[in-house]
Amino acid sequence: MTYLPDRITKVEGRSQDPHEGDLDVPTWPVEPGRYRLVAARACPWANRSIIVRTLLGLEDVISMGLTGPTHDERSWTFDLDPGGVDPVLGYERLQQAYFARDPDYPRGITVPAMVDVPTKAVVTNDFPWITHDLFFEWRDHHRPDAPGLWPDACREEMEEVMQRIFTEVNNGVYRCGFAGSQEAYDAAYDRLWTALDWLEERLTDRRYLMGDAITEADVRLFTTLARFDPVYHGHFKCNRNKLSEMPVLWAYARDLFQTPGFGETVDFEQIKRHYYVVHEDINPSGIVPKGPDLADWHTPHGRERV
């Protein structure tokens, strides 16, 4: 997948992240009220941006539009809104924002997307940079007690952890689900569980991935864990065991779920409807399973003792 690489930055052409500096991509100015984050609660990549926007207290600075949980080959649609139209952009389909940017836009219509409200055109859909820049570029507008999601003290290690999570876990479940052969599936399955066992061990003696505070790494892992039992375990055949059968990861996931900014962004019914309806090649019947029982996400986790 190729993404629109534009960035929204405080200073034109330059990142406020001390690890970056000058940028070689088009930049747009930080301007409260100018942009609309279009996301879907069903999508793990979009769920990241919803969580980070909430954690940083940017709800009154960057508006948000939510699509429905399903889409066709053309686009995500705003069927959750009255009349099926986004009230700010006036669009029925996210595709319209992409075509406002490029009438011949040739790539996938993805969420999350940052849309310039005055022109109603997509600015960027490059999801890892969207959450990165919400932290570094919009700092003047964060709530006073916003978490330090990118701590400099452990930045190098955090980048390594996030890279492994991205390749082996975030993408790993998809590698299992869309494997085209038994050999490919077996290899993907082994890679995924090697990574999950590593995470189970890593989190045994630390509350969060980088220590005693929530970081971007936790956000990136959480959105996959939240979907594991309702979707990936069965639908993607990641079925060595359920998340709820891994004591450390399950407690860690519940800890995050019960943290303000995380659980309220998760809609399990939308998640299940998205995967089981959209992936017709995997689930041609379109039947959405009633289970599993997800009430235990609210049970005590005991992670404050770690």
Side-chain angles (χ1 to χ4, degrees):
M1 181 68 70
T2 303
Y3 297 96
L4 294 166
D6 301 33
R7 304 268 296 275
I8 299 171
T9 61
K10 181 179 179 181
V11 178
E12 183 179 0
R14 185 169 180 81
S15 172
Q16 298 304 290
D17 180 353
H19 290 256
E20 281 196 285
D22 293 335
L23 302 176
D24 59 358
V25 298
T27 59
W28 300 60
V30 166
E31 194 174 308
R34 177 171 176 175
Y35 303 101
R36 186 162 178 79
L37 171 66
V38 177
R41 293 194 188 278
C43 171
W45 318 104
N47 196 178
R48 293 182 183 183
S49 62
I50 301 173
I51 292 170
V52 170
R53 172 179 173 270
T54 305
L55 290 176
L56 300 179
L58 293 171
E59 296 96 326
D60 295 333
V61 179
I62 301 170
S63 70
M64 184 170 70
L66 292 172
T67 71
T70 62
H71 60 78
D72 56 25
E73 67 279 358
R74 291 172 58 195
S75 174
W76 295 83
T77 54
F78 293 102
D79 47 280
L80 300 178
D81 292 306
V85 176
D86 180 88
V88 173
L89 301 174
Y91 290 151
E92 295 179 352
R93 290 179 170 272
L94 179 56
Q95 183 185 55
Q96 294 169 268
Y98 281 78
F99 287 169
R101 166 74 180 263
D102 178 0
D104 299 314
Y105 185 76
R107 299 185 287 275
I109 308 299
T110 62
V111 289
M114 292 288 282
V115 179
D116 178 44
V117 173
T119 62
K120 299 183 180 180
V122 168
V123 173
T124 180
N125 62 339
D126 200 342
F127 65 92
W129 288 113
I130 288 175
T131 54
H132 171 281
D133 290 344
L134 288 179
F135 179 75
F136 283 103
E137 306 301 327
W138 293 83
R139 272 181 165 171
D140 292 347
H141 308 285
H142 291 180
R143 59 182 174 85
D145 59 344
L149 296 178
W150 292 78
D152 192 62
C154 59
R155 177 66 179 274
E156 184 176 344
E157 182 188 6
M158 190 176 86
E159 295 276 11
E160 294 173 356
V161 169
M162 291 194 300
Q163 182 61 29
R164 186 170 183 183
I165 289 170
F166 175 69
T167 59
E168 305 304 302
V169 181
N170 301 147
N171 276 343
V173 291
Y174 285 86
R175 199 179 293 116
C176 290
F178 290 100
S181 69
Q182 187 67 52
E183 292 76 14
Y185 165 74
D186 289 347
Y189 179 98
D190 290 343
R191 284 179 62 178
L192 171 66
W193 287 104
T194 295
L196 289 173
D197 287 340
W198 163 69
L199 288 165
E200 179 87 350
E201 181 178 356
R202 181 181 180 88
L203 288 162
T204 299
D205 59 358
R206 63 184 83 195
R207 185 170 183 179
Y208 306 111
L209 283 169
M210 303 313 301
D212 59 359
I214 291 170
T215 66
E216 173 86 7
D218 298 294
V219 175
R220 295 186 179 194
L221 177 58
F222 172 79
T223 59
T224 295
L225 297 183
R227 287 156 178 78
F228 201 89
D229 286 4
V231 175
Y232 302 144
H233 177 269
H235 185 59
F236 279 177
K237 306 179 184 68
C238 303
N239 62 351
R240 189 191 77 179
N241 50 258
K242 295 178 180 178
L243 172 69
S244 56
E245 296 167 345
M246 301 187 75
V248 175
L249 270 176
W250 175 224
Y252 163 81
R254 299 200 317 279
D255 186 4
L256 291 176
F257 185 87
Q258 295 169 31
T259 298
F262 284 85
E264 67 265 32
T265 73
V266 176
D267 187 313
F268 289 118
E269 290 307 313
Q270 287 195 34
I271 288 168
K272 289 195 294 183
R273 182 163 178 77
H274 169 69
Y275 284 92
Y276 286 101
V277 172
V278 171
H279 297 160
E280 295 178 350
D281 50 343
I282 300 178
N283 187 42
S285 71
I287 294 172
V288 180
K290 294 182 69 173
D293 182 358
L294 298 165
D296 285 349
W297 279 93
H298 297 281
T299 59
H301 52 75
R303 294 286 293 175
E304 62 278 354
R305 297 191 299 270
V306 178

